[in-house]
Amino acid sequence: MAAASLKKHRYLFMVVSFLLWVPNFLYVPVFAPYIETLGANYTLVGIILSSYGITQLLLRLPVGIVSDLLKWRKPFIVFGMIASALSIIFFLVTENLWLVLLARALAGVSAATWVVFAVVYPSYFREDEVHKAMSSISLIIVFGQFMGMSLSGIIVDEFGWKAPFILGSAFGLLGVLLSFFVYEPKDRIDREPVKFNELTTVLKDPLLLKTSFLSIIAHSIIFSTMFGFTSNYALEIGFTPNELTWVVCAFMIPHAIATIFIGNTLIPKLGESKSLILAFLLISISTLTIPLFETKTLFLANQLLHGFSLGLIFPLLLGMSIQNIELKMRATAMGAYQAIYAIGIFAGPFLAGIFNTMFGLQGGFYFVGLLGVVATALSVVWRKKEEVVNKNYVERKTMYNYKKT
């Protein structure tokens, strides 16, 4: 296919991808406070928030495997866009808490299909441009999340609680329409379908299991704070819905900067293990101190650190998760990694909601902050074990070479 034609398909696909994420994040900063206005306590708020992770946990890996087996991607993309649109429309037309729960679960269904999006987009590029493709599509995710979240508080302040769902429905329906025009290359799949024995081999990889566990904690924290209850606390200490935009910017801008800083500066200087310990240490400090700041300026300063530290951890864990996996099995490893960390998207807000009900909003922040402390401690322990293993290996190799001589 001609380069000009491929570019056209790339741009359309980027627009469709943008329209998948914007509706799902357009209401996120005001979502927990909105559910409260419908009469939910913090426990139910946590359950509703966590449903987004449950459906991803259940569907991400099966979607990838079934798509591989059928050797067909586009229907899953269209299905994901339909699920996204239905989710936001349900939010618009109902105030029944159980239907709100269903709507949030549908948002998780749409997010689960991202596995397929991430496979199709690189097929528009040459093999040596895959990293370029993944960088540009990752930028679309961040841009979609940032734009949606930054507009949320302003829209609510001006037009009321339902306004994000009205705008989101328009984005969602446009996304469904455009998804029917997404191009799937004729040579749709260039690798064999996932085999069960390959999957079990991947799931036994020690580094994948360690990073997946740490990623569960990291996702528990972010979905209990910025994507969960941070807005509730901000409103409680005097922010208006319109001013939540400042909270989003304070978090998201350093969050985006950190994704570049970790690969270009921190890892080359400190290495992966020390970078991991530092990132989780900063996450622990910034999370545990959220309830201590009751003035807007100090709270925003805390969000700068919180966003930056969480921005460090996700690309670091992502790279480490597939580090020891054979190239031909890395797609399977990535699907497994994404499915496992979805436990955190579910468990974090669910448990934080329970702690918030029992001890007030501070309870949830202290809970996930302590999870960060656990992750920091595990990172230190695993690093020491790795040093011992490496030391023993060097000693055995030295002894072997000595005996040979």
Side-chain angles (χ1 to χ4, degrees), residues 125-138:
F125 292 77
R126 298 193 313 267
E127 283 190 17
D128 61 340
E129 293 182 318
V130 170
H131 289 296
K132 176 183 176 183
M134 296 313 293
S135 295
S136 60
I137 201 68
S138 296

Side-chain angles (χ1 to χ4, degrees), residues 91-113:
F91 283 131
L92 177 61
V93 301
T94 185
E95 294 184 355
N96 180 286
L97 287 170
W98 297 111
L99 291 178
V100 169
L101 172 65
L102 173 63
R104 188 57 176 161
L106 270 175
V109 172
S110 70
T113 63

Side-chain angles (χ1 to χ4, degrees), residues 278-298:
L278 177 61
F280 269 121
L281 180 62
L282 293 176
I283 289 170
S284 303
I285 293 170
S286 61
T287 306
L288 287 169
T289 54
I290 289 175
L292 304 182
F293 299 115
E294 297 183 357
T295 63
K296 293 180 180 180
T297 302
L298 290 176

Side-chain angles (χ1 to χ4, degrees), residues 59-106:
L59 294 178
R60 261 189 170 165
L61 192 55
V63 164
I65 292 174
V66 172
S67 172
D68 276 344
L69 290 173
L70 296 178
K71 299 187 179 183
W72 212 0
R73 313 293 194 192
K74 184 173 176 177
F76 292 91
I77 292 173
V78 174
F79 173 72
M81 299 306 298
I82 291 173
S84 177
L86 285 177
S87 167
I88 202 80
I89 290 170
F90 279 3
F91 283 131
L92 177 61
V93 301
T94 185
E95 294 184 355
N96 180 286
L97 287 170
W98 297 111
L99 291 178
V100 169
L101 172 65
L102 173 63
R104 188 57 176 161
L106 270 175

Side-chain angles (χ1 to χ4, degrees), residues 296-307:
K296 293 180 180 180
T297 302
L298 290 176
F299 179 78
L300 289 175
N302 171 271
Q303 288 304 296
L304 290 170
L305 177 62
H306 194 54

Side-chain angles (χ1 to χ4, degrees), residues 183-194:
Y183 169 72
E184 183 175 359
K186 300 298 181 184
D187 50 342
R188 289 169 293 189
I189 293 180
D190 58 0
R191 68 181 182 88
E192 291 295 317
V194 174

